[in-house]
Amino acid sequence: MRPAHTARDRALKELYAALRRAGAPEAVLDLYNDPAVYTRDTRTRVRGQYFLTSRTAHGGAILETGSVPVHNTEAAVRLVLEMASAAGPRSA
């Protein structure tokens, strides 16, 4: 594994753990396909030195994006939770 992937994976694991502690809805860590942390209607990836979070519609269209420096996991958690709550509850 290349050093960049190691740093990316470590950042995603830290974000995932912080989101679980914060009670993020439906948090999932995927390090294999498209490495990211997923929550209800959000996807957070690492691009360079930033967490890039996208809120998506149920059909997959990106509705909004935000970025936070990787070293600021707490701010990334707040961003993800804000975007996940903006998505509203899912209908059954």
Side-chain angles (χ1 to χ4, degrees):
M1 189 177 298
R2 297 186 328 215
H5 289 176
T6 302
R8 177 202 64 205
D9 291 356
R10 182 173 44 252
L12 289 172
K13 287 176 184 178
E14 289 175 14
L15 177 61
Y16 172 73
L19 285 167
R20 296 286 297 185
R21 286 190 301 273
E26 306 166 18
V28 175
L29 173 64
D30 182 354
L31 295 177
Y32 300 102
N33 298 316
D34 181 13
V37 175
Y38 296 88
T39 64
R40 180 184 309 134
D41 298 323
T42 71
R43 175 184 66 197
T44 302
R45 297 184 284 176
V46 173
R47 292 293 182 249
Q49 294 298 312
Y50 290 88
F51 286 116
L52 178 62
T53 301
S54 302
R55 182 168 67 95
T56 58
H58 296 294
I62 295 175
L63 301 174
E64 66 180 322
T65 62
S67 63
V68 174
V70 168
H71 67 271
N72 198 340
T73 303
E74 289 181 25
V77 168
R78 288 191 302 270
L79 177 63
V80 170
L81 292 176
E82 181 179 314
M83 285 188 174
S85 69
R90 286 202 175 190
S91 57

